[in-house]
Amino acid sequence: MVRAIMHGCNGRMGRVITGLIREDDAIEIVAGVDAYTGIDNDYPVFESIEKCGVDADVVIDFSNAAAADGLLKFCVEKKMPVVLCSTGLSEEQLNLVEESAKKTAVLKSANMSVGINLLLKLLKDATKVLAPAGYDIEIIEKHHNQKLDAPSGTAIALADSINETMGNSFEYTYDRSRERKKRGTREIGMSAVRGGTIVGEHEVLYAGPDEVIEFRHTAYSRGVFGKGAIEAAKFLAGKPAGRYDMSDVIQL
């Protein structure tokens, strides 16, 4: 059985993952880390990762960017694999992720959903056929009204997947209201909607002459991200040092 430390155990996603792991016989949480310790858990909880002395096979992180440096230092020192799910990392922290991956296994993806990462693979195949045929590509993403970044990291990852397939020959357009001009042929448009409690919806349109092909992923609960993180943790435990992402977990 995989033994995991839940970093950010008392946050929203930490509690989701705790519940999911209770139902999974292949993994258990042996310790948690959270600055807030006012929630009862069936495992010991420490205020910081430095205070955690419990042996484990992997760390699952759903905390915040401010805690990333200390977490990566801990995992490098302990040679402990880490599934890094916190968002909003600075350029310096992203560089630290790459440096840390030289000494321990680090898995980081823009989105932990298995479905989104399958979509990333499918878009590569679709783009190889449709982009050379002149289809226009648009991405529309929708999230709750508390989300700070727009477009979402996932929308950018979808665009990057498409762009890399075509040799990074596309430009991204985020706001067409700034200029009145015809749409470019080598352009990926991205639109962001913010409202209510939408967990996450991403739609990719390939619009050609007389037809539109749509790829859509809708998350109805945060559980999809938790399930992906758990699968990633089971995959990463015991892996050698290196940089991994969800495409390594989903082998087609």
Side-chain angles (χ1 to χ4, degrees), residues 73-182:
K73 180 181 178 182
F74 173 89
C75 290
V76 166
E77 290 176 352
K78 301 291 184 181
K79 297 294 188 290
M80 191 176 296
V82 55
V83 178
L84 192 63
C85 303
S86 293
T87 59
L89 301 186
S90 66
E91 196 65 36
E92 292 78 9
Q93 288 177 314
L94 292 174
N95 291 333
L96 180 59
V97 168
E98 301 304 325
E99 287 300 312
S100 300
K102 297 175 182 178
K103 300 174 184 177
T104 192
V106 180
L107 189 150
K108 186 180 186 309
S109 286
N111 189 300
M112 298 306 297
S113 160
V114 172
I116 281 288
N117 284 276
L118 175 59
L119 179 58
L120 288 168
K121 289 179 176 285
L122 296 175
L123 291 179
K124 289 180 182 291
D125 291 334
T127 299
K128 290 174 185 176
V129 176
L130 299 174
Y135 283 64
D136 297 324
I137 304 171
E138 294 285 319
I139 298 173
I140 303 100
E141 57 95 348
K142 304 174 185 178
H143 284 88
H144 53 85
N145 58 20
Q146 300 301 303
K147 188 170 180 61
L148 300 179
D149 54 323
S152 67
T154 299
I156 294 172
L158 294 171
D160 288 346
S161 180
I162 294 167
N163 205 7
E164 288 165 9
T165 303
M166 300 306 295
N168 294 311
S169 60
F170 283 90
E171 294 184 355
Y172 300 164
T173 298
Y174 303 107
D175 183 3
R176 288 199 175 88
S177 67
R178 295 181 180 180
E179 296 184 78
R180 292 178 59 85
K181 67 176 184 177
K182 183 180 176 181

Side-chain angles (χ1 to χ4, degrees), residues 135-245:
Y135 283 64
D136 297 324
I137 304 171
E138 294 285 319
I139 298 173
I140 303 100
E141 57 95 348
K142 304 174 185 178
H143 284 88
H144 53 85
N145 58 20
Q146 300 301 303
K147 188 170 180 61
L148 300 179
D149 54 323
S152 67
T154 299
I156 294 172
L158 294 171
D160 288 346
S161 180
I162 294 167
N163 205 7
E164 288 165 9
T165 303
M166 300 306 295
N168 294 311
S169 60
F170 283 90
E171 294 184 355
Y172 300 164
T173 298
Y174 303 107
D175 183 3
R176 288 199 175 88
S177 67
R178 295 181 180 180
E179 296 184 78
R180 292 178 59 85
K181 67 176 184 177
K182 183 180 176 181
R183 187 190 198 282
T185 57
R186 310 299 290 181
E187 180 178 324
I188 299 175
M190 281 188 268
S191 304
V193 175
R194 296 289 175 266
T197 58
I198 302 170
V199 175
E201 181 177 310
H202 293 85
E203 182 179 8
V204 182
L205 305 180
Y206 292 84
D210 302 319
E211 69 175 355
V212 175
I213 299 167
E214 302 180 19
F215 291 84
R216 184 195 301 269
H217 177 274
T218 302
Y220 292 103
S221 79
R222 290 175 174 81
V224 298
F225 311 121
K227 290 174 184 175
I230 292 168
E231 291 306 310
K234 290 189 283 189
F235 163 85
L236 200 65
K239 289 291 188 295
R243 178 73 163 81
Y244 301 85
D245 60 32

